[in-house]
Amino acid sequence: MSNTMSLNELTLSEARDKLRAKEITATELTEACLSAIEAGNDALKAYLVVTADKALEQAKRSDERLAKTSKDARALEGIPLGIKDLFCTDGIRTTAGSHILGNFEPPYESTVTQNLWDAGAVMLGKLNMDEFAMGSSTETSYYGQTVNPWRAKGSTENLVPGGSSGGSSSAVAAGLCMAATASDTGGSIRQPAAFTGTVGIKPTYGRCSRYGMVAFASSLDQAGPITRSIKDAALMLQAMASYDLKDSTSVDRPLPDLEKALTQKFKGLRIGVPKEYRVDGMSKEIEALWEKGIDIYRQAGAEIVDISLPHTHAALPAYYIVAPAEASSNLARYDGVRYGLRENGRDIVDMYEETRSHGFGAEVKRRILIGTYVLSAGYYDAYYLKAQKVRSLIKRDFDDAFETVDVVLTPTTPTPAFGLGSKKDADPVEMYLNDIFTVTVNMAGLPGLSVPGGLSAEGLPLGLQLIGKPFDEATVLRAGQVIEDAVGRMPIPDAWWAGAASKPAGKAKKKVEAADAPEKKAKRKK
Amino acid sequence: MAKTEIDEATVRRIAHLARVKVTAEEATSLQRELNGILSWVEELNAIPTDGVEPLTSVGGAKLHMREDAVTDGNKPAAVLKNAPKSEDGFFLVPKVIE
């Protein structure tokens, strides 16, 4: 079985191997991605900024290195990436999806993106996101709504790509980049990955430097990648992670060779299944997905262990105290003085108030006010301190569980992707429930991965979540590989999004044989 | 935590503390939404936390020390590049002292 695909549809690791074997060039690969963006971004709205000239310039330099000996090629040499718009990129507009950052052009580069360029990666542009990463659908962005490349069977309804890293998940799922950076405060990497049939990993808190990431909730924020395969996630995380003196919470701990870890022995691993994740009203479909995951591990020779994480139900309410509290403090910096938007006022206080009132969207204001309230005099102990104590209990639950298991398996989300605008009139708390399975991981600072586990009855991707011990991303990825091997990678859906826009003329797209693509791929074209 | 219902005056007071101007209409809907969120988080009251230390650092990592030396700076142009208003190497704001 073989069929042809465009270069931009390869996995990152396949592209890397072809670049090194000189079967393709970085310029060809970058042009394929830029063509895909040109054809698809009008409909998907994943990119806010496309840096085509910079990308082609970087690709040219990568080709020069690749033309020499293989020693000159760095880990991600010539690989075109999309960057979530909350990573500061030197001289390139960075908005975090907010009006208040306006035309902010950072005069410096985030450590995570610098690490990627140092590894030889090519920058395609900046990807849309919920405003300040506050949201689960990318609908709170000031700059328009990103669309999920997946649609329900026989439907033309546009679905959300998840959030907050919805630009990243949409671009990766549709082949508008080889992989993307993302960030996760309560599920913002894993939930969008689950909604788009992609792989997303949030590493242990402290693995990736937060320097140059627009801050939301500093004790919870972590960078990580969204990719089309587990191996790609390993390669991306390897390059993104580093110990960084510019971030006082970055941790000085060596990261093992994650690609090598994927081939290590799996048999005998202990997989924990927490009973508290069987929440009320969980759909049969999600339950069946979870059972399927358990079964895959049993078949693979893992030991399945029933565990208890008794404070699971408390994680979401505690998160919605801690995260807004930290956000209200972090977002105090947007005052119209040093960067971004300024609205004039009668005096300086009026100027602050006008600027912040016009610059922040409704969800951000809501969280700033909640955060200000729970930190205000007389309420600090009742809310913030209480939530931080509950956080200790959540962490203790995991510490206890990891005495008897190596990895915890849960669903990533309670539902598949929902319709764009379908929760417009919903209570804010209803949208927050998207994070119910993911938020515990941020509260405890643990590594968490979402890997595609199958399709819903409507034909939409569903994700399984794997939670690991602190700094044990290697085992989490190894366990994720078992699921990917059993389920197969998700195909890139039929490119309905490329139909409307004009196809770039005159540029013959280079096709490659993709005999190693999963079987599903062949069924892609109806 | 105490069972709290916040009124519109409290919404306005918090908004002012947060330096966010809210219209009358916004204040009404924010009051409803904030009360919804606050009553939802009240379930934490049922969890006993006597003698539990608050979690202040997930990594448990010690802050690293470095030599107390200047490592960056001396780039006023870069610092002021994004300022909405600046003059003579300073950020410009409305008059603060009468």
Side-chain angles (χ1 to χ4, degrees), chain A residues 509-522:
Chain A
K509 278 205 262 175
K510 182 164 173 172
K511 303 277 180 179
V512 289
E513 289 298 304
D516 51 349
E519 203 162 336
K520 280 188 186 133
K521 197 88 214 179

Side-chain angles (χ1 to χ4, degrees), chain A residues 129-152:
Chain A
M129 55 183 285
D130 278 302
E131 184 178 4
F132 287 111
M134 298 179 191
S136 303
S137 63
T138 312
E139 290 169 293
T140 72
S141 170
Y142 179 75
Y143 302 98
Q145 297 171 349
T146 300
V147 177
N148 193 329
W150 286 82
R151 284 171 166 178

Side-chain angles (χ1 to χ4, degrees), chain A residues 480-494:
Chain A
Q481 186 67 54
V482 172
I483 298 283
E484 188 177 282
D485 289 346
V487 175
R489 286 191 286 106
M490 287 286 148
I492 293 175
D494 270 339

Side-chain angles (χ1 to χ4, degrees), chain A residues 318-352:
Chain A
Y319 173 85
Y320 275 96
I321 292 171
V322 174
E326 293 184 15
S328 74
S329 166
N330 270 326
L331 271 55
R333 75 190 64 183
Y334 301 103
D335 57 4
V337 174
R338 288 158 300 162
Y339 34 69
L341 185 76
R342 173 188 290 195
E343 295 284 339
N344 293 322
R346 291 186 307 275
D347 51 28
I348 193 162
V349 171
D350 199 46
M351 184 275 281
Y352 293 150

Side-chain angles (χ1 to χ4, degrees), chain A residues 424-485:
Chain A
K424 206 170 64 181
D425 301 318
D427 187 60
V429 173
E430 193 187 321
M431 191 65 114
Y432 298 169
L433 292 173
N434 265 290
D435 296 334
I436 191 161
F437 298 142
T438 48
V439 80
T440 49
V441 175
N442 302 78
M443 293 297 269
L446 303 169
L449 170 85
S450 180
V451 58
L455 298 177
S456 73
E458 293 180 297
L460 295 174
L462 299 170
L464 283 166
Q465 178 177 234
L466 292 160
I467 305 167
K469 296 175 186 171
F471 302 103
D472 195 11
E473 289 84 1
T475 304
V476 171
L477 286 161
R478 177 68 193 95
Q481 186 67 54
V482 172
I483 298 283
E484 188 177 282
D485 289 346

Side-chain angles (χ1 to χ4, degrees), chain A residues 12 14-27 29 63 66 76-80:
Chain A
L12 186 159
E14 287 165 353
R16 175 197 63 176
D17 295 347
K18 287 182 190 299
L19 284 165
R20 296 204 175 167
K22 299 190 171 55
E23 288 172 37
I24 61 172
T25 67
T27 302
L29 184 63
D63 278 331
L66 287 157
L76 298 178
E77 196 69 65
I79 300 290

